[in-house]
Amino acid sequence: MLKTANKPLFVEISDYSFLVARVSATSGRIQVESLLELPTDIAPEQATESILQFSSTKKGQLCLSVCGMYPPQALLRRTTLESPNKAKDPAYLIDFVKQQFKIDVESHAIFPLNAALGTPFQPEKLAGKELIFCGAPKAAILAEQERLLSYNLYPERLELGTLATLGGMMRYNRLKGIKAPTLMLEITETQAQVLIFQGDQLDVARPIPYGLSSMYPLVQQELGLKDEDSARKLFSSNTFDFTEMGPVLLKKMLKELQASTGFYEVQTGQTIGQIYLNLLPENLNWVGRSLSRTLGVDVIEPDLATWLEGSNITLADGVETSKLDKRWFGLFALMCDYNPQAEAADAKGK
């Protein structure tokens, strides 16, 4: 049974965190009433008990929620249509996706956006030939839905957390007056996603076939560990500083990043000014430091208080952001409806 009388929740679950916020509403002016962090390896029954208690929901009732997910093999690509006039034919887009991304379109849920505006693609209202395709394998989305339901969460809205964070970071740069292009890097176990944007325009979206798991054999080799599992456990702990090993562990990823940023800078004449690493916990902050030194850019550490104030989100008494790390930015980013054109018009009217 869906329980709607209680306060709704915003939830973000990734490889690195399980974050929950109890809020006054899921749209409009939102007040964050309380925050909860659960272990990523928590058992479903324990997660359910914690969520029911946090939301004051009775057993057997579902908690209304807006959820951000990071399914394996999620798709986020910017590309150029070779024949924009043919895009009115659905078969053309299906063929285009097959050829460009080498995926089985039948097994994927894919949603195209106009790259210039970030609006849903409509063949009769084609805004240029640049599109952003986003989506994920249907099986992965279904698995995420089933996992949320197993925690007694009813996802009123289920979003790709990457897109919500990207929109939030674009707004953050506007609030902070950051003009230079930003590299947003999202690293998961199996791959990394490269996103380069300036202002409200996403210019680059491409995957890198190297994630954290590609570093475990190197950790094993460098430290003389008995197996990769030992390397993984050490890598995930807070007991060893990998900063000095950073250039070795990140060598393949850096090569891909330098290729992406170099091509972008040559094509646009713009220099990447800063990097934002989505999702990574504090024990992996050395990744940002290493990339910052090699690429010659600053690392963005979001000022959550400034962002919330500029996003029509307030905090109840007792909720503080000063002790929250940057992982929480993605959860707060889920709370907003991003419309740069409307915001610009509103600001001009003021």
Side-chain angles (χ1 to χ4, degrees), residues 187-319:
I187 305 173
T188 65
E189 273 291 307
T190 57
Q191 67 173 15
Q193 181 73 42
V194 177
L195 304 166
I196 299 177
F197 68 90
Q198 184 175 27
D200 296 315
Q201 181 81 33
L202 176 63
D203 296 314
V204 176
R206 63 175 291 258
I208 290 178
Y210 304 112
L212 296 185
S213 59
S214 68
M215 303 181 199
Y216 303 151
L218 298 174
V219 172
Q220 179 190 359
Q221 180 182 334
E222 291 289 321
L223 299 180
L225 302 176
K226 63 179 181 178
D227 53 36
E228 286 188 23
D229 189 52
S230 299
R232 180 187 59 79
K233 290 177 181 177
L234 180 62
F235 194 87
S236 304
S237 72
N238 293 310
T239 59
F240 191 89
D241 186 357
F242 288 91
T243 301
E244 294 303 315
M245 292 174 57
V248 175
L249 301 181
L250 296 167
K251 185 177 179 179
K252 291 182 179 179
M253 188 178 294
L254 270 167
K255 185 177 180 181
E256 295 281 347
L257 285 177
Q258 288 169 328
S260 295
T261 57
F263 181 78
Y264 172 81
E265 291 175 350
V266 169
Q267 290 293 105
T268 65
Q270 300 286 320
T271 302
I272 303 295
Q274 51 282 322
I275 184 173
Y276 175 65
L277 282 89
N278 188 28
L279 298 179
L280 292 186
E282 287 187 303
N283 68 298
L284 295 180
N285 278 346
W286 61 267
V287 175
R289 292 193 296 269
S290 185
L291 294 176
S292 172
R293 283 199 300 266
T294 306
L295 297 174
V297 296
D298 296 325
V299 177
I300 295 180
E301 297 291 342
D303 176 357
L304 293 177
T306 296
W307 188 87
L308 291 168
E309 184 179 352
S311 301
N312 211 26
I313 299 172
T314 59
L315 303 176
D317 292 342
V319 180

Side-chain angles (χ1 to χ4, degrees), residues 28-221:
R29 188 169 182 81
I30 295 173
Q31 183 179 61
V32 179
E33 299 182 348
S34 189
L35 299 173
L36 172 70
E37 179 172 5
L38 297 171
T40 54
D41 59 352
I42 190 170
E45 58 273 14
Q46 292 177 309
T48 298
E49 184 179 346
S50 296
I51 289 169
L52 289 177
Q53 184 177 1
F54 181 69
S55 61
S56 298
T57 303
K58 294 180 181 179
K59 191 173 183 180
Q61 296 175 327
L62 297 174
C63 306
L64 186 68
S65 58
V66 174
C67 304
M69 62 173 180
Y70 297 86
Q73 304 306 313
L75 177 73
L76 183 57
R77 304 277 190 91
R78 175 174 173 141
T79 189
T80 303
L81 292 178
E82 297 170 356
S83 305
N85 292 332
K86 295 182 180 179
K88 294 180 181 180
D89 179 3
Y92 170 78
L93 275 188
I94 292 172
D95 251 4
F96 182 82
V97 170
K98 285 181 180 177
Q99 295 299 321
Q100 287 286 313
F101 310 137
K102 309 300 180 187
I103 62 173
D104 175 14
V105 294
E106 296 297 327
S107 64
H108 282 68
I110 302 173
F111 193 72
L113 303 172
N114 289 304
L117 304 174
T119 54
F121 168 73
Q122 295 176 291
E124 67 278 7
K125 296 180 181 179
L126 183 62
K129 59 183 181 179
E130 302 291 327
L131 292 184
I132 297 170
F133 288 92
C134 50
K138 293 177 182 177
I141 296 174
L142 181 61
E144 291 294 321
Q145 289 177 317
E146 291 177 343
R147 176 163 67 149
L148 292 167
L149 288 170
S150 76
Y151 299 151
N152 268 60
L153 294 166
Y154 180 83
E156 176 190 44
R157 195 168 80 237
L158 188 59
E159 297 187 17
L160 288 178
T162 308
L163 282 178
T165 302
L166 177 63
M169 189 50 56
M170 288 177 172
R171 174 176 289 177
Y172 181 79
N173 282 7
R174 288 202 303 277
L175 292 171
K176 285 293 190 177
I178 297 174
K179 304 295 185 182
T182 297
L183 167 62
M184 178 172 143
L185 182 65
E186 184 176 282
I187 305 173
T188 65
E189 273 291 307
T190 57
Q191 67 173 15
Q193 181 73 42
V194 177
L195 304 166
I196 299 177
F197 68 90
Q198 184 175 27
D200 296 315
Q201 181 81 33
L202 176 63
D203 296 314
V204 176
R206 63 175 291 258
I208 290 178
Y210 304 112
L212 296 185
S213 59
S214 68
M215 303 181 199
Y216 303 151
L218 298 174
V219 172
Q220 179 190 359
Q221 180 182 334

